[in-house]
Amino acid sequence: HVYTPREVFGTVGSRVTLSCSFWSSEWISEDISITWHFQAEGSRDSISIFHYAKGQPYIDDVGSFKERMEWVGNPRRKDGSIVIHSLEPTDNGTFTCDVKNPP
């Protein structure tokens, strides 16, 4: 189960935390992965903007978020949250947090 707020509001130029918490009946394994996707308002396509795997955060080096994103999550605390700095009007859209905890 993955939990995120339905809506998050921010002001242009400020920062916003995109919270993502999760619950798993399985223990949190070393193979846990967390991926954030972004779908711009009015767009049909979503892009991957962040990935956490093998204990390391990876900010995707494409797109408008690459210099403005910060990993603040902690999988051991069931937290996959990120922060986006210096908000821009084009950041409006849908963000999706996907957590996989094999098996």
Side-chain angles (χ1 to χ4, degrees):
H1 299 282
V2 178
Y3 306 95
T4 57
R6 181 164 173 76
E7 287 188 300
V8 176
F9 297 94
T11 307
V12 171
S14 70
R15 56 178 258 169
V16 68
T17 299
L18 300 179
S19 299
C20 173
S21 60
F22 57 91
W23 182 88
S24 175
S25 58
E26 301 290 329
W27 63 286
I28 307 302
S29 77
E30 292 297 314
D31 294 328
I32 190 168
S33 69
I34 300 167
T35 305
W36 277 93
H37 292 90
F38 172 68
Q39 183 176 356
E41 192 172 44
S43 172
R44 292 175 164 236
D45 300 323
S46 80
I47 58 166
S48 169
I49 59 171
F50 175 84
H51 192 65
Y52 177 93
K54 302 198 184 319
Q56 293 292 322
Y58 299 97
I59 295 170
D60 290 10
D61 58 1
V62 296
S64 64
F65 297 103
K66 64 181 179 184
E67 305 290 327
R68 302 184 293 125
M69 196 174 316
E70 178 185 359
W71 165 244
V72 294
N74 182 336
R76 295 194 196 294
R77 292 195 183 123
K78 301 180 173 70
D79 182 0
S81 303
I82 58 174
V83 171
I84 297 177
H85 296 272
S86 304
L87 287 175
E88 301 172 358
T90 53
D91 295 342
N92 199 24
T94 302
F95 293 84
T96 307
C97 176
D98 181 32
V99 179
K100 290 184 174 57
N101 184 37

